[in-house]
Short mmCIF file of all heavy atoms in Angstrom, two decimals:
data_model
loop_
_atom_site.label_atom_id
_atom_site.label_comp_id
_atom_site.label_asym_id
_atom_site.label_seq_id
_atom_site.Cartn_x
_atom_site.Cartn_y
_atom_site.Cartn_z
N GLY Y 1503 1.17 4.81 -2.36
CA GLY Y 1503 0.74 5.98 -1.73
C GLY Y 1503 -0.45 5.78 -0.79
O GLY Y 1503 -1.12 6.80 -0.38
N ASP Y 1505 -2.28 4.31 2.81
CA ASP Y 1505 -1.91 4.16 4.17
C ASP Y 1505 -2.14 2.70 4.63
O ASP Y 1505 -3.26 2.22 4.73
CB ASP Y 1505 -2.78 5.13 4.99
CG ASP Y 1505 -2.49 4.97 6.54
OD1 ASP Y 1505 -1.54 4.28 6.89
OD2 ASP Y 1505 -3.20 5.66 7.27
N PRO Y 1506 -1.11 2.00 4.98
CA PRO Y 1506 -1.20 0.60 5.39
C PRO Y 1506 -2.04 0.43 6.66
O PRO Y 1506 -2.55 -0.67 6.99
CB PRO Y 1506 0.22 0.10 5.60
CG PRO Y 1506 1.13 1.20 5.29
CD PRO Y 1506 0.32 2.44 4.96
N GLU Y 1507 -2.14 1.46 7.38
CA GLU Y 1507 -2.97 1.40 8.64
C GLU Y 1507 -4.45 1.29 8.36
O GLU Y 1507 -5.21 0.99 9.27
CB GLU Y 1507 -2.74 2.74 9.44
CG GLU Y 1507 -1.27 2.94 9.96
CD GLU Y 1507 -0.87 1.88 10.96
OE1 GLU Y 1507 -1.74 1.49 11.81
OE2 GLU Y 1507 0.28 1.46 10.93
N VAL Y 1509 -5.75 -1.05 6.58
CA VAL Y 1509 -6.15 -2.44 6.37
C VAL Y 1509 -7.10 -2.83 7.49
O VAL Y 1509 -6.73 -2.69 8.70
CB VAL Y 1509 -4.94 -3.35 6.34
CG1 VAL Y 1509 -5.37 -4.81 6.21
CG2 VAL Y 1509 -4.05 -3.05 5.12
N VAL Y 1510 -8.18 -3.41 7.15
CA VAL Y 1510 -9.09 -3.99 8.14
C VAL Y 1510 -9.12 -5.50 8.01
O VAL Y 1510 -9.47 -5.96 6.93
CB VAL Y 1510 -10.55 -3.36 8.03
CG1 VAL Y 1510 -11.49 -3.99 8.98
CG2 VAL Y 1510 -10.50 -1.85 8.11
N ARG Y 1512 -11.01 -8.84 9.04
CA ARG Y 1512 -12.31 -9.29 9.61
C ARG Y 1512 -12.42 -10.75 9.62
O ARG Y 1512 -12.09 -11.45 8.59
CB ARG Y 1512 -13.48 -8.65 8.78
CG ARG Y 1512 -13.45 -7.20 8.79
CD ARG Y 1512 -14.61 -6.63 7.90
NE ARG Y 1512 -15.87 -7.06 8.46
CZ ARG Y 1512 -17.04 -6.91 7.82
NH1 ARG Y 1512 -17.06 -6.45 6.62
NH2 ARG Y 1512 -18.16 -7.27 8.35
N ALA Y 1518 -23.79 -18.09 8.49
CA ALA Y 1518 -24.74 -16.98 8.30
C ALA Y 1518 -23.93 -15.69 8.04
O ALA Y 1518 -24.36 -14.82 7.23
CB ALA Y 1518 -25.53 -16.80 9.59
N ASP Y 1521 -22.78 -15.82 4.44
CA ASP Y 1521 -23.88 -15.45 3.54
C ASP Y 1521 -24.12 -13.93 3.50
O ASP Y 1521 -24.23 -13.32 2.47
CB ASP Y 1521 -25.17 -16.14 3.97
CG ASP Y 1521 -25.20 -17.61 3.65
OD1 ASP Y 1521 -24.37 -18.02 2.80
OD2 ASP Y 1521 -26.06 -18.30 4.29
N ALA Y 1522 -24.10 -13.33 4.73
CA ALA Y 1522 -24.37 -11.91 4.81
C ALA Y 1522 -23.31 -11.08 4.11
O ALA Y 1522 -23.59 -10.03 3.55
CB ALA Y 1522 -24.53 -11.51 6.29
N ASP Y 1534 -11.47 -1.29 -1.29
CA ASP Y 1534 -12.62 -0.42 -1.47
C ASP Y 1534 -13.90 -1.22 -1.78
O ASP Y 1534 -14.71 -0.82 -2.67
CB ASP Y 1534 -12.43 0.68 -2.49
CG ASP Y 1534 -11.85 1.99 -1.83
OD1 ASP Y 1534 -11.49 1.92 -0.69
OD2 ASP Y 1534 -11.80 2.95 -2.60
N GLN Y 1539 -9.66 -10.57 -6.88
CA GLN Y 1539 -9.88 -11.52 -7.98
C GLN Y 1539 -11.35 -11.99 -7.85
O GLN Y 1539 -11.54 -13.02 -7.13
CB GLN Y 1539 -8.91 -12.68 -7.83
CG GLN Y 1539 -8.50 -13.38 -9.15
CD GLN Y 1539 -7.50 -14.43 -8.96
OE1 GLN Y 1539 -7.80 -15.58 -8.66
NE2 GLN Y 1539 -6.24 -14.08 -9.13
N PRO Y 1541 -14.85 -13.62 -7.54
CA PRO Y 1541 -15.32 -15.03 -7.69
C PRO Y 1541 -16.13 -15.15 -8.95
O PRO Y 1541 -16.71 -14.18 -9.45
CB PRO Y 1541 -16.07 -15.31 -6.42
CG PRO Y 1541 -16.54 -13.97 -5.93
CD PRO Y 1541 -15.52 -12.99 -6.39
N ASP Y 1558 0.28 -16.96 -14.16
CA ASP Y 1558 0.83 -18.01 -15.03
C ASP Y 1558 -0.01 -19.33 -14.96
O ASP Y 1558 0.41 -20.34 -15.48
CB ASP Y 1558 2.34 -18.24 -14.72
CG ASP Y 1558 2.52 -18.68 -13.27
OD1 ASP Y 1558 1.51 -19.00 -12.60
OD2 ASP Y 1558 3.68 -18.90 -12.92
N ARG Y 1560 -0.98 -21.11 -12.21
CA ARG Y 1560 -0.90 -22.00 -11.08
C ARG Y 1560 -1.98 -21.78 -10.06
O ARG Y 1560 -2.44 -20.63 -9.85
CB ARG Y 1560 0.48 -21.88 -10.49
CG ARG Y 1560 1.64 -22.49 -11.28
CD ARG Y 1560 2.98 -22.18 -10.60
NE ARG Y 1560 3.24 -20.78 -10.67
CZ ARG Y 1560 3.94 -20.12 -9.73
NH1 ARG Y 1560 4.42 -20.74 -8.71
NH2 ARG Y 1560 4.22 -18.81 -9.92
N PRO Y 1567 0.29 -11.58 -6.53
CA PRO Y 1567 0.64 -10.28 -6.01
C PRO Y 1567 0.45 -9.15 -7.00
O PRO Y 1567 0.19 -8.01 -6.62
CB PRO Y 1567 2.14 -10.45 -5.65
CG PRO Y 1567 2.28 -11.90 -5.50
CD PRO Y 1567 1.30 -12.59 -6.33
N HIS Y 1568 0.59 -9.51 -8.28
CA HIS Y 1568 0.35 -8.45 -9.30
C HIS Y 1568 -1.10 -8.00 -9.30
O HIS Y 1568 -1.37 -6.77 -9.59
CB HIS Y 1568 0.78 -8.98 -10.71
CG HIS Y 1568 2.22 -9.27 -10.88
ND1 HIS Y 1568 2.67 -10.52 -10.65
CD2 HIS Y 1568 3.24 -8.49 -11.09
CE1 HIS Y 1568 4.02 -10.54 -10.80
NE2 HIS Y 1568 4.42 -9.27 -11.07
N ALA Y 1575 -3.35 -0.01 -6.92
CA ALA Y 1575 -2.94 1.10 -7.75
C ALA Y 1575 -4.20 1.82 -8.40
O ALA Y 1575 -4.26 3.04 -8.50
CB ALA Y 1575 -2.05 0.67 -8.86
#
Side-chain angles (χ1 to χ4, degrees):
Chain Y
D1505 179 6
E1507 296 294 322
V1509 174
V1510 177
R1512 300 179 60 193
D1521 284 343
D1534 267 9
Q1539 208 177 86
D1558 61 7
R1560 286 176 293 147
H1568 296 95

